[in-house]
Amino acid sequence: MTIASPAPPASNPASWLNNQPYLLLSLSSLFWAGNIVLARHVGAHVPPLTVTTIRWFGVFLILLPFAWPHLKRDWPALRKSLRLMLFLSLVGFAFNNAISYWAMQYTEALNALLIQSAGPLFVALWSLVLFGVRLTGAQLAGIAISLAGVLIIILRGDLAALTGISFNRGDIMFALSLVAFGIYSAFIPRRPKVHQLSFLSFTTCCGAMMLLPAAVWEAWSGNVLQFDTLTLSTLAYILIFPSTLAYLFFNRGVALIGPNRAAPFFHLVPVFGSAMAILLLGEKLQPFHLIGYALVLAGVVIASRPGSAVK
């Protein structure tokens, strides 16, 4: 009698996702696009410094039960790289997010999406300046092609609309947040070799602690958080999607393929943002959307394929 071989164990979906850098980075862009749209919608309703502080404390508390065993094991490595970890907490979590939420009180979503499209250039610049990592020809071409697609989408196919865009202090603040996130992205491959949950729980906790004095000042100044339905639903989205999941996915994606190959995925943010406007706000799909989407996706594929890496 033949004994059947045991069936192979079912694949773990989480393990599979953890090794899909392109999907991880695409999902990060999707969640961040929703964050920009939402931040503009609630910009005058929620105090930005308080919300950012709650955001990172909340993420830390969500992750802590899962991260605790890894934190205990990885603590020697984290302590050895304490200065770098504190720096990443500052530029990637405290400063970057606080100033971007603050900026959305003064700028339009169109301007923010246009500035966001420059994200890959900031990543490439800091990777070059700090570590001598150069863009390859394929990466440069991919960024240029996807940037053209972003401009077509944002400007609705009318390049003359560039002359009608004016920039204010909110635009400058949003650009500064991208400068900070570019530095964070360039440093990610050089972070200590610790578990993702150890890294993210440590940096979110430190980022929240850095922001706490600013949140106290904001409340003392009279800009107090109102716990109504809009605020609570905003916090729920922020805590789960652009914070916990997006950063886990982004950090893993960069660790798998490097910052320069990951950078063009920033261009998916305005693509997803415009798609949300079509699906959620009833805007009509136009030919320029399709042309822009095609260029962005072509640029991302060209710049992020394995052969585009610096040898």
Side-chain angles (χ1 to χ4, degrees), residues 21-35:
Y22 306 131
L23 179 56
L24 291 170
L25 292 167
S26 298
L27 289 172
S28 297
S29 296
L30 174 63
F31 299 153
W32 283 330
N35 193 42

Side-chain angles (χ1 to χ4, degrees), residues 13-311:
S15 297
W16 175 84
L17 180 62
N18 198 44
N19 290 289
Q20 305 299 318
Y22 306 131
L23 179 56
L24 291 170
L25 292 167
S26 298
L27 289 172
S28 297
S29 296
L30 174 63
F31 299 153
W32 283 330
N35 193 42
I36 290 177
V37 174
L38 181 61
R40 177 57 184 164
H41 178 64
V42 302
H45 183 75
V46 298
L49 301 178
T50 303
V51 165
T52 311
T53 305
I54 293 174
R55 173 184 184 178
W56 295 130
F57 268 131
V59 172
F60 170 69
L61 293 175
I62 290 171
L63 293 177
L64 186 58
F66 309 99
W68 183 246
H70 305 291
L71 277 170
K72 290 193 295 183
R73 184 195 63 213
D74 293 334
W75 175 244
L78 293 169
R79 184 173 56 186
K80 185 177 180 180
S81 302
L82 185 59
R83 290 174 62 183
L84 174 60
M85 293 296 296
L86 292 175
F87 178 71
L88 291 175
S89 301
L90 174 65
V91 296
F93 296 86
F95 178 81
N96 163 48
N97 286 271
I99 198 170
S100 63
Y101 277 118
W102 200 351
M104 295 310 295
Q105 294 187 348
Y106 304 105
T107 189
E108 298 294 328
L110 172 65
N111 286 27
L113 290 170
L114 180 61
I115 296 167
Q116 177 77 40
S117 67
L121 304 180
F122 287 115
V123 176
L125 174 64
W126 287 116
S127 295
L128 174 63
V129 170
L130 296 172
F131 305 113
V133 179
R134 296 176 292 104
L135 284 173
T136 66
Q139 289 170 344
L140 185 60
I143 289 174
I145 292 170
S146 57
L147 181 59
V150 166
L151 291 175
I152 288 173
I153 294 169
I154 293 175
L155 302 177
R156 307 181 69 82
D158 181 13
L159 294 180
L162 274 173
T163 60
I165 294 179
S166 59
F167 294 95
N168 56 31
R169 61 175 174 172
D171 303 319
I172 297 173
M173 293 163 68
F174 198 85
L176 288 175
S177 75
L178 281 183
V179 171
F181 198 75
I183 297 174
Y184 172 83
S185 301
F187 270 97
I188 281 294
R190 290 158 178 82
R191 67 180 178 88
K193 303 301 181 184
V194 297
H195 194 276
Q196 274 206 87
L197 292 176
S198 298
F199 176 79
L200 192 56
S201 58
F202 185 93
T203 47
T204 53
C205 181
C206 290
M209 293 296 293
M210 291 174 181
L211 285 167
L212 188 57
V216 172
W217 169 81
E218 187 175 58
W220 179 78
S221 301
N223 196 1
V224 180
L225 189 69
Q226 304 295 324
F227 286 96
D228 52 22
T229 302
L230 178 59
T231 298
L232 293 175
S233 58
T234 297
L235 288 174
Y237 176 82
I238 290 173
L239 286 173
I240 296 170
F241 294 102
S243 304
T244 304
L245 294 180
Y247 272 82
L248 282 172
F249 292 176
F250 179 79
N251 290 343
R252 178 60 177 168
V254 171
L256 288 172
I257 66 173
N260 278 346
R261 286 174 59 201
F265 283 83
F266 280 115
H267 285 158
L268 292 178
V269 173
V271 171
F272 286 134
S274 64
M276 287 177 184
I278 293 169
L279 294 174
L280 302 178
L281 303 180
E283 294 190 6
K284 186 178 179 182
L285 181 65
Q286 302 283 355
F288 67 80
H289 286 119
L290 300 177
I291 296 171
Y293 295 161
L295 287 173
V296 170
L297 293 176
V300 168
V301 169
I302 291 171
S304 62
R305 72 181 194 271
S308 69
V310 176
K311 304 297 184 186

